[in-house]
Amino acid sequence: MRTVIAVNGKIDDYAELARLLRPDDYLIGADGGTLHLLAVDRSPDVVVGDLDSLSPATVASLIAAAICVERHNPEKDQTDLELALERAVQDGASEIVLVGALGGRLDQTLANLLIVAQRDWPVPVRIVEGDQVAEVLRGPGRLVLHGPVGSVVSAIPLSAAAAGVTYIGLEYPLCDATLHFGSTRGVNNVLALPPASISWRT
């Protein structure tokens, strides 16, 4: 079951969001992210958070529509997104897509990006921003890349070092390289011969 979590960041193109959402997606509104779903006439299956970004009238209408509302105490140790991710896993997600996770407050944007790497989530978690997709990958592994020639591909290490990194089919090749945390060496490569691949050992 694909689960889409709408986060309370910026969404500039609601038509694009409407196209992304599938009829059978399981939808979770992370507090104010619920408004993004409502803006494209989609009702969430669940709303999770302390609800400080939703008006009492909106919350009341959600409850009246028999939508599950999981309200948390505002004095909590987790963001609404982290709670929504846990709920998605609990409800049986096979993959999770985050929309509206970027923009707005810088601290929230950074936290939303890093929470995907915070733990080894049992299912793939992807952040979608327009036609861009970000995902945390753990090794050893291999990622096959499909898409038009010229598509931009970046690989950014989030651990102390990513070892055994090899690119095939990208304009700037690597062979058994090590990328260190903070390095920009893997940023802004280009898909040259699709399908391309990135593999890594650790």
Side-chain angles (χ1 to χ4, degrees), residues 78-155:
Q78 297 168 291
T79 63
D80 296 323
L81 173 55
E82 186 171 4
L83 295 168
L85 282 164
E86 290 179 348
R87 178 63 189 252
V89 171
Q90 172 191 315
D91 289 353
S94 58
E95 63 174 308
I96 300 171
V97 174
L98 307 183
V99 296
L102 309 178
R105 284 175 47 184
L106 181 58
D107 59 343
Q108 291 283 7
T109 295
L110 290 170
N112 291 346
L113 286 167
L114 293 174
I115 197 172
V116 181
Q118 175 226 30
R119 65 178 93 163
D120 191 358
W121 297 100
V123 298
V125 181
R126 298 178 182 93
I127 297 175
V128 175
E129 171 80 1
D131 62 353
Q132 302 175 90
V133 180
E135 180 178 358
V136 172
L137 305 165
R138 289 176 167 80
R142 180 173 179 266
L143 177 68
V144 178
L145 302 165
H146 301 276
V149 171
S151 298
V152 174
V153 179
S154 293

Side-chain angles (χ1 to χ4, degrees), residues 53-64:
S53 298
L54 295 174
S55 69
T58 299
V59 174
S61 68
L62 293 167
I63 293 171

